[in-house]
Amino acid sequence: MDPIVSTDSLAAFCERAAQFEFITVDTEFLRETTYWPRLCLIQVATDEEAVLIDPLAPNIQLAPFFALLADPKVTKVFHAARQDIEIFVKLTGAVPHNIFDTQIAASVCGFGDSASYDSLVRSICKVELDKSSRFTDWSARPLSDKQLSYALADVTWLRDIYRELRQQVEATRRWDWVEDELATLRSIDTYVVRPELAWERLKMKLNRPRDLAALKVLAQWRERRAQETDQPRSRVLKDDVIAELAAQRPLTAEAFEKLRAVPRGFGRSSAAAEIMALLKDVEALPKSALPALPERYRGPSPKGAVGDLVRVLLKAVAEQHGVAARIIATSDEIDALVLDDEADVPALKGWRRKLFGDKALAIKHGRLGLAATRKGIIEFEVNQAEAAE
């Protein structure tokens, strides 16, 4: 099938697609050398047809398709939707209305925490996909017949997967599980990167408030520069370079040359001049203006006996409900709730709290016990008076 390359043809398809209850959607894009993903192909299917849309075709306008994405009457079905939606948010400024993610649905139906599309096609549709075209150059034209067939398969089998998973979600009454996960995908904050918060994604242990102040301004500078020049963050500055700059805070070109992580000669670049100006501002900050370091926890280790019991509970709950343990809580989340009853983690919110979080806190405070039986792990209430003796 030849891709749609004209606005009129696209508008005609979108008019037909708007009459259906749902459409399946996927994209092909490139991002290896850019900050923003470059959209190369859009795949869409209804119950009656599947089409390819070429966003790189001369003079094509994607407005009819964007209007379809915004139509609340039509469910837009994706698999692992986050990167696809990020592209549409960049192009339209809005998250598509009425979205459904089959990877999320699969996770609450016992297919694992990150089920791939081809694994679901294999499990549900009993078909083995040819994925050899996955990493081809989607910006090159013309696209090969093999590429076109591969791209179409990403939305045609998705129709059957959606129907099957929807039935399973309804049968298990886990719509609240799915809705909790979809809430993140529906929030535009998921896709809009604020440079002033870029430092939060850097997992760096810092011992001095001035180091943290430097890290914040450096991460913000890198994020803005990457966005403005459309380069990957690592091409602007690698994470290890930011860490060393935050700790050493060089203020001269000569000082740059003494740093191990910084490329030789970088200290005399225009980028280094901007960085030195930022670091001079950091050095000039009074102590009262420096950010506070996170408080260090000085209580029992979450890796101790209490954490072990909570992990046993997690495994038992996951087995009982037929889902991957990681869907319910991660190891870091268990550490957090052991340290803090009010930890801001998914395990203590929504359906996860009902299923696991409240029980985890009850174990932590001695109100719930676990016992091993031939049938597996069982829970029992602890008599507080006896426990105190």
Side-chain angles (χ1 to χ4, degrees), residues 198-200 202-220 239-251 259 275 278-287 289-294 296:
W199 68 276
E200 293 179 350
L202 300 172
K203 307 299 182 182
M204 299 177 182
K205 294 182 179 180
L206 301 172
N207 298 318
R208 299 174 296 183
R210 206 170 295 276
D211 293 353
L212 179 56
L215 176 70
K216 288 185 174 184
V217 299
L218 289 168
Q220 180 175 351
D239 287 356
D240 60 337
V241 175
I242 285 187
E244 189 169 14
L245 290 175
Q248 300 299 326
R249 299 191 295 281
L251 300 181
L259 302 181
I275 290 172
L278 293 172
L279 294 178
K280 287 177 181 178
D281 290 340
V282 170
E283 293 296 338
L285 289 173
K287 289 185 178 181
L290 295 176
L293 293 174
R296 291 185 178 180

Side-chain angles (χ1 to χ4, degrees), residues 261-280:
V262 178
R264 187 167 299 279
F266 180 78
R268 302 190 184 281
S269 66
S270 59
E274 293 179 24
I275 290 172
M276 284 187 281
L278 293 172
L279 294 178
K280 287 177 181 178

Side-chain angles (χ1 to χ4, degrees), residues 145-194:
D145 290 342
K146 191 173 183 180
Q147 284 178 302
L148 298 177
S149 297
Y150 165 88
L152 277 176
D154 277 348
V155 288
T156 51
W157 297 111
L158 190 54
R159 297 176 293 198
D160 295 332
I161 292 171
Y162 169 64
R163 292 190 187 93
E164 175 62 26
L165 291 178
R166 186 181 178 91
Q167 289 179 1
Q168 290 192 31
V169 171
E170 290 174 347
T172 54
R173 298 180 180 180
R174 292 178 176 175
W175 272 113
D176 56 334
W177 298 25
V178 173
E179 287 297 318
D180 274 2
E181 298 305 294
L182 287 177
T184 300
L185 288 180
R186 291 169 178 156
S187 172
I188 197 166
D189 291 339
T190 301
Y191 313 100
V192 178
V193 179
R194 296 169 56 188

